[in-house]
Amino acid sequence: MKILHVTPLYYPAVGGVESVFKAVSEGMAQRGEDVTVFTTTGRSLNAFMNPAVRPLVAGEEIISGVRVRRFPYRRVLRLAARVFSRGWSALHLLKGEDFIAWSALPWVPGLSSEIAAYKPDVVLAGHFPTRIVYEASEARKAAGFPLVYFTALHLGHGADMPGSSLELLKGADAAWVSTSYEKAALQKSGIAENKIWDLGVGIHPDDFKKGD
């Protein structure tokens, strides 16, 4: 099976979502699956907003049996669009959330076309509210592959699901959530229960052997 994972950041970037994608990608590769990761040259989320952060090298490499392809991102124009979109939304004008979804970071020119051209058997993409999930959705429209989202939603107490995120989730084949709270929020927002995979994220016990 030709598996494609699409995520804003990947190792050596450090973070919760980054750790999940690394563990899942390497675990599948160890089981003999053909796994490729499409990601950006970003070193951290801050890199998408801070020009002082030097990007990683674009191109392809193999990391622990996983093919990793890094695409360069763009910064300035999308930041301007993001400021505009938030102002538009604050004024309660029509479709403000659509502008927010459009201008979310990171912006990788041509990413949706690259995803579709790869012709994957299945795609796991994350996380919300990054633009990566939007690009995966656009690629799915062109190529028709099964699409699963790793949501990583950061929901405040009683917070409603953003409309732009909700539409993308409804259009996917499944949503992988990390907690029962997240699952309940998706169900409340109208996502069918059979499309919500409450898998958690797990741990590697060896990572804690030297802990205090």
Side-chain angles (χ1 to χ4, degrees):
M1 180 177 287
K2 196 175 181 181
I3 300 170
L4 178 62
H5 295 168
V6 190
T7 179
L9 303 169
Y10 193 77
Y11 181 84
V14 176
V17 173
E18 293 75 25
S19 296
V20 169
F21 270 86
K22 184 175 184 291
V24 172
S25 299
E26 292 181 2
M28 287 185 167
Q30 290 168 8
R31 290 168 173 78
E33 301 289 357
D34 179 2
V35 184
T36 296
V37 173
F38 280 9
T39 188
T40 75
T41 53
R43 293 178 181 273
S44 66
L45 289 175
N46 185 47
F48 303 136
M49 297 173 282
N50 185 355
V53 180
R54 187 178 64 180
L56 296 167
V57 177
E60 187 173 304
E61 61 181 320
I62 303 295
I63 301 177
S64 300
V66 178
R67 186 183 303 106
V68 180
R69 186 175 173 189
R70 300 186 194 275
F71 296 85
Y73 56 88
R74 296 293 182 267
R75 186 184 293 113
V76 177
L77 292 178
R78 287 289 159 166
L79 282 176
R82 191 169 181 83
V83 170
F84 170 78
S85 70
R86 292 198 177 280
W88 180 281
S89 182
L91 291 172
H92 303 289
L93 298 176
L94 182 62
K95 296 185 178 180
E97 289 212 15
D98 289 345
F99 278 92
I100 293 174
W102 178 84
S103 61
L105 300 175
W107 178 42
V108 180
L111 180 59
S112 61
S113 297
E114 292 284 353
I115 296 171
Y118 186 70
K119 298 180 180 179
D121 292 315
V122 63
V123 170
L124 172 67
H127 59 288
F128 288 85
T130 66
R131 185 171 171 80
I132 294 299
V133 295
Y134 174 79
E135 297 289 358
S137 177
E138 289 299 294
R140 183 177 187 263
K141 293 175 184 177
F145 50 75
L147 175 59
V148 178
Y149 284 131
F150 177 66
T151 57
L153 292 165
H154 292 70
L155 300 170
H157 180 68
D160 292 327
M161 184 73 58
S164 53
S165 297
L166 182 58
E167 289 306 309
L168 290 173
L169 285 164
K170 286 182 176 179
D173 292 278
W176 169 9
V177 301
S178 305
T179 65
S180 57
Y181 181 83
E182 197 176 359
K183 177 180 179 180
L186 291 187
Q187 287 184 267
K188 180 182 177 182
S189 298
I191 307 296
E193 184 176 7
N194 64 352
K195 291 177 63 172
I196 306 171
W197 299 350
D198 187 1
L199 304 178
V201 292
I203 64 167
H204 286 299
D206 290 346
D207 293 343
F208 295 88
K209 285 184 177 179
K210 296 181 181 180
D212 293 333

